[in-house]
Amino acid sequence: MGKKRLEDAIQKVNFPVEVVYRCFELDPTSKRDVDYNIYEALSKKYGMSVEQAKANSRNLEKMAAEVGLEFNFDTQILTNTFDAHRLVMFANKQGLMHEMTDRILRAYFTEGKHIGDHTTLVQLAEEVGLNGESVKEMLSSTDMSGEVREDEGLAAQYGIRSIPFFILNKKYSLTGAQPTETFIQALNQIKAEESAITDLGDQDGGLSCDENGCEIPKK
């Protein structure tokens, strides 16, 4: 839902915004095939009853529907997501990161597909235009593992413990499925700050910039 609200916000600002997805596993210890459902998992994790977990999930389904998403927790298949992340990183090299991410999320939250299963992942990859044999070969190897671990290391550096988590311009962060208006305000504020820095740079003979930001010249 946070992703959808961000996308809605981007449609409402009058400047381009680049979105890059990063890898983050909520439960790296999870097995590929598990013998419990989402309600049992939530019950154990948060110390609530299964019935309460179901009620909370119904509320999430309603919230998702309000932003145009369909969640079906009854059919959701829990699994280890590491290979799904590897597939997204593989798709990124083909320029299809957004398409692959969207397809995997829909498969998991809406269609009840097993996104830890390699056959399922190959099928999803082919649907967005990736070569099935190449994907099968990648999944049977350790390719893209380093890229996933690098992203997870970055998350650890930022102190990220939950998702959704948004890092804006390497300077600001928003956590949780914030309202669309919050994203709009944040994006507009960052754009205004960028414009102010650009103007200052033009006036003072330019800024010294690197990947960590810009240094304002001394007068």
Side-chain angles (χ1 to χ4, degrees), residues 170-191:
K170 298 183 180 180
K171 293 175 60 179
Y172 305 100
S173 64
L174 289 172
T175 184
Q178 296 288 338
T180 299
E181 283 302 319
T182 299
F183 285 115
I184 292 174
Q185 292 172 8
L187 292 171
N188 282 327
Q189 178 181 337
I190 290 171
K191 182 63 175 177

Side-chain angles (χ1 to χ4, degrees), residues 30-95:
S30 177
K31 297 180 180 179
R32 179 178 296 176
D33 298 298
V34 300
D35 56 1
Y36 50 86
N37 60 39
I38 182 64
Y39 307 123
E40 293 167 324
L42 292 172
S43 174
K44 181 178 179 180
K45 182 175 182 178
Y46 296 109
M48 64 177 69
S49 68
V50 170
E51 289 307 314
Q52 183 60 51
K54 287 183 178 180
N56 290 348
S57 297
R58 295 290 88 79
N59 288 335
L60 283 176
E61 288 175 344
K62 292 178 181 178
M63 291 173 62
E66 291 174 358
V67 295
L69 299 173
E70 181 184 352
F71 283 4
N72 295 309
F73 289 107
D74 282 348
T75 58
Q76 192 172 94
I77 299 175
L78 301 181
T79 185
N80 185 289
T81 60
F82 187 72
D83 286 342
H85 283 299
R86 288 202 297 134
L87 176 55
V88 170
M89 300 308 281
F90 179 80
N92 186 40
K93 290 184 176 294
Q94 319 300 319

